[in-house]
Amino acid sequence: MELTWILLGIVILIVLFGIIIYNRLVTLRNQVKNAWSQIDVQLQRRYDLIPNLVETVKGYMNFEKGTLEAVVKARSQAIAARDAVEKRGGPTGGGSIKNLLGAEIALQRSLGNILALAENYPQLRASETMKSLQEELSTTENRIAFARQAYNDQGMSYNTAQQTFPAVFFASMFGHHPVEMYEVADQEAKKAVKVAF
């Protein structure tokens, strides 16, 4: 009888321990999702600024149609990549952050090209609309960087929690999998987009 109580106590402890681990992993997963949503908000803000930038620049850059089209195309690809991540359940659902990063790098490069070309148009540089868009874009890029850092911090905590003992035995059983970090491997892409005139 005493052995039965001891075994029952051990089973109860294991169940309680499993509940604690499960709740911690769920909390961390939700923090990762929240951090991802902050990146998503800032990316959408950037995507919303781009059509205004293109329209502002369009009137001045009559001979730079290819550059403007490249920005519009890169924006569309970045939105599609972000939507693909969301359709797969975000970063905790297996969405590919790497595909999104590739599209974001292409978008940053095309924005850099359009801003570099704008240097050749003094009237455009003096435009209040252009100055305002330039400031908004710069602010948005900073917000994206901070949101990316917060996401990576939360992702690291979530991944570490899954890989530590004893959660390592329960994580996959509870449906938890490591998330991809929002890291840029291309050294050239790590450089900030130049938005100063």
Side-chain angles (χ1 to χ4, degrees):
M1 182 74 171
E2 199 171 296
L3 181 61
T4 304
W5 285 108
I6 292 172
L7 290 175
L8 183 62
I10 292 172
V11 169
I12 289 172
L13 283 175
I14 291 172
V15 168
L16 288 174
F17 199 63
I19 290 170
I20 291 168
I21 290 172
Y22 177 82
N23 288 340
R24 181 167 185 259
L25 290 174
V26 168
T27 299
L28 290 170
R29 178 176 54 201
N30 289 339
Q31 289 172 348
V32 168
K33 287 180 179 181
N34 179 54
W36 173 254
S37 69
Q38 298 306 314
I39 291 175
D40 191 46
V41 166
Q42 298 309 320
L43 291 178
Q44 184 61 49
R45 183 172 183 212
R46 182 201 288 154
Y47 302 154
D48 291 344
L49 285 171
I50 291 171
N52 295 333
L53 178 67
V54 169
E55 286 302 314
T56 300
V57 171
K58 194 182 284 185
Y60 294 93
M61 295 183 168
N62 296 329
F63 303 106
E64 308 292 350
K65 187 176 180 183
T67 303
L68 296 175
E69 289 172 352
V71 171
V72 171
K73 181 180 176 185
R75 175 186 178 264
S76 296
Q77 290 173 339
I79 290 172
R82 187 199 61 191
D83 290 347
V85 170
E86 290 302 315
K87 284 180 185 173
R88 296 197 69 193
T92 61
S96 178
I97 302 296
K98 288 179 183 173
N99 291 342
L100 175 60
L101 281 173
E104 285 294 319
I105 289 168
L107 179 58
Q108 285 180 331
R109 285 185 180 146
S110 64
L111 280 174
N113 290 341
I114 199 170
L115 294 172
L117 284 172
E119 292 282 336
N120 298 327
Y121 297 86
Q123 294 166 337
L124 177 58
R125 286 186 305 194
S127 163
E128 287 302 316
T129 304
M130 187 63 180
K131 287 179 183 178
S132 174
L133 287 170
Q134 172 188 353
E135 180 62 32
E136 286 290 319
L137 186 59
S138 179
T139 301
T140 300
E141 292 299 327
N142 288 334
R143 289 179 180 180
I144 290 170
F146 288 124
R148 184 175 59 224
Q149 180 181 351
Y151 167 80
N152 283 340
D153 290 345
Q154 293 299 327
M156 183 185 67
S157 295
Y158 181 54
N159 290 346
T160 301
Q162 292 176 60
Q163 297 165 357
T164 56
F165 180 82
V168 69
F169 298 116
F170 297 100
S172 62
M173 182 173 50
F174 292 149
H176 296 273
H177 306 285
V179 295
E180 289 181 60
M181 296 290 111
Y182 199 111
E183 298 173 320
V184 179
D186 182 359
Q187 293 301 319
E188 194 64 28
K190 288 183 179 183
K191 295 179 181 175
V193 175
K194 183 181 177 188
V195 294
F197 281 63

